[in-house]
Amino acid sequence: MVEKVITLENVSLLDFLGIENKNINEVASAFPKSKIVSRGNEIRIQGSTTDLLKINDIINSLVTHYHKYGKVTEENVQNYLSKDAEEELPDREEVLIYGTKGFTIKPKTLNQQKLVYAVKDFDLVFATGPAGTGKTYISVALAVRALKNKVVKKIIITRPAVEAGETLGFLPGDLKEKLDPYLRPIYDALHDMIPSEKLKYYMENNVIEIAPLAYMRGRTLNNAFILLDEAQNTTPMQIKMFLTRMGPSSKVIVTGDTSQIDLPKKQKSGLIEALKVLRGVEGIGFVGLTGKDVIRHKIVKDIIAAYDDAEQEQGQ
């Protein structure tokens, strides 16, 4: 039996080892004939030469992963253990903006990075995928960066006023005030990215505008970064209206989850139709995010997978 000690340098032990050393314990459980002990910033490995070399490579890969992404999750460990790690992000991965709480906001998965690249290459991008894949959060970050860099003069964020099993009609206020609770994730994202006083100034002066989709009719949106969220709940007529509002020097991202359509059963989704109709149009980017891009609690991926399996069985 041989022994090796790995010293972790410039690493947050909690973010690398996990709560109660869960990440390292996961590695240890994969090598039952070897012993892996973590104390402070040292990881002591005892085992056969073959196991030691494998464990050393895995831990070094996890250290590299940590320095690139700032955190190691249990899923990351499982990926490296199974030798099926997700494709690495290209070296030109970049920080989009620095958040108000001192953290960096950047793509965390390959498909999120593809979304960033697509927005660079195209003025109109469709980003589809299940809940928790970061499609809206990354889109908001791209919009804030464009505003800060003075690439655009304003940000417009909109979504259709469709009820997700709840009743808007009984809520107090006008249509925008009724819709604001449904836009809470976008407000939260903006607060992560822009200081409160600055955000208040932007919104009071319509530099950042958050409005129901109905408010877009008849407008030409120039020099703006425009985000249509929850686009799966648009009708074909609504999404066509929205897309034809696009003016010069504007960027548009359309996000949606085609598995969560809240329209009446007989009503076609404008997003699904647009994806079919516009697929061959030059100058439009399409990015599909999947369950692998979910960055919420790990069980969210399992929930999405379970529902996908159930839908496939029903379709058979």
Side-chain angles (χ1 to χ4, degrees):
M1 182 174 287
V2 291
E3 181 177 301
K4 179 178 177 64
V5 176
I6 298 176
T7 302
L8 303 174
E9 297 180 348
N10 300 318
V11 167
S12 164
L13 297 181
L14 179 60
D15 289 334
F16 182 82
L17 300 174
I19 297 173
E20 297 181 348
N21 293 344
K22 192 170 185 179
N23 292 337
I24 292 302
N25 291 339
E26 190 78 11
V27 176
S29 66
F31 297 90
K33 295 182 180 180
S34 297
K35 185 177 181 181
I36 306 175
V37 178
S38 172
R39 285 196 177 91
N41 68 335
E42 289 188 348
I43 299 175
R44 188 176 300 273
I45 310 166
Q46 293 178 335
S48 67
T49 301
T50 301
D51 275 4
L52 190 144
L53 290 173
K54 290 180 181 179
I55 295 168
N56 183 68
D57 286 344
I58 289 168
I59 292 176
N60 283 336
S61 294
L62 291 172
V63 169
T64 300
H65 182 101
Y66 169 85
H67 285 303
K68 192 166 188 178
Y69 303 114
K71 189 173 184 179
V72 174
T73 66
E74 186 179 352
E75 184 183 17
N76 298 146
V77 176
Q78 292 170 350
N79 283 338
Y80 283 104
L81 285 172
S82 64
K83 297 184 179 180
D84 189 30
E86 292 182 9
E87 184 179 350
E88 291 289 334
L89 296 184
D91 290 337
R92 59 189 181 121
E93 174 205 357
E94 62 189 300
V95 173
L96 300 180
I97 55 174
Y98 291 90
T100 56
K101 299 174 184 176
F103 57 87
T104 58
I105 297 172
K106 58 184 178 181
K108 295 182 179 179
T109 71
L110 181 65
N111 285 326
Q112 287 183 4
Q113 184 69 68
K114 286 180 179 178
L115 174 56
V116 174
Y117 292 164
V119 172
K120 286 183 179 179
D121 295 335
F122 303 102
D123 289 335
L124 171 59
V125 175
F126 286 83
T128 57
T133 52
K135 56 188 182 296
T136 298
Y137 197 83
I138 292 296
S139 297
V140 173
L142 288 167
V144 171
R145 182 175 71 168
L147 181 65
K148 286 186 173 182
N149 292 343
K150 299 184 178 179
V151 176
V152 297
K153 292 183 178 179
K154 68 182 304 180
I155 295 171
I156 300 171
I157 302 174
T158 186
R159 60 166 288 176
V162 174
E163 303 166 22
E166 300 178 47
T167 303
L168 285 171
F170 292 105
L171 294 174
D174 59 21
L175 181 58
K176 181 180 182 303
E177 291 171 330
K178 291 179 180 183
L179 197 63
D180 276 352
Y182 293 84
L183 290 161
R184 191 71 258 166
I186 291 173
Y187 287 114
D188 290 344
L190 288 170
H191 279 289
D192 281 350
M193 302 171 194
I194 302 173
S196 296
E197 287 301 315
K198 190 73 170 179
L199 179 57
K200 182 180 178 182
Y201 170 82
Y202 281 154
M203 297 191 72
E204 287 177 348
N205 290 274
N206 285 327
V207 176
I208 295 179
E209 179 182 351
I210 302 176
L213 181 58
Y215 286 22
M216 299 298 109
R217 186 174 299 277
R219 300 177 60 181
T220 300
L221 307 176
N222 296 325
N223 298 309
F225 200 115
I226 309 140
L227 169 61
L228 171 58
D229 195 36
E230 300 289 343
Q232 76 274 6
N233 289 327
T234 61
T235 65
M237 186 178 295
Q238 285 176 326
I239 200 166
K240 180 181 177 182
M241 176 275 292
F242 170 78
L243 294 174
T244 54
R245 300 305 94 202
M246 187 175 175
S249 304
S250 290
K251 287 276 188 181
V252 175
I253 304 179
V254 178
T255 68
D257 177 0
T258 55
S259 71
Q260 292 189 350
I261 297 173
D262 300 310
L263 294 167
K265 290 183 179 180
K266 294 183 179 180
Q267 177 65 65
K268 290 183 179 179
S269 166
L271 175 61
I272 291 178
E273 181 171 288
L275 292 173
K276 294 177 181 177
V277 172
L278 302 177
R279 182 65 66 172
V281 177
E282 188 175 350
I284 300 178
F286 298 88
V287 179
L289 295 97
T290 70
K292 291 183 179 180
D293 300 296
V294 172
I295 53 176
R296 293 179 181 171
H297 193 288
K298 65 175 184 176
I299 200 172
V300 174
K301 292 186 180 183
D302 297 331
I303 291 171
I304 292 169
Y307 273 98
D308 287 345
D309 291 342
E311 288 173 3
Q312 288 178 6
E313 289 177 4
Q314 292 173 3
Q316 291 177 352

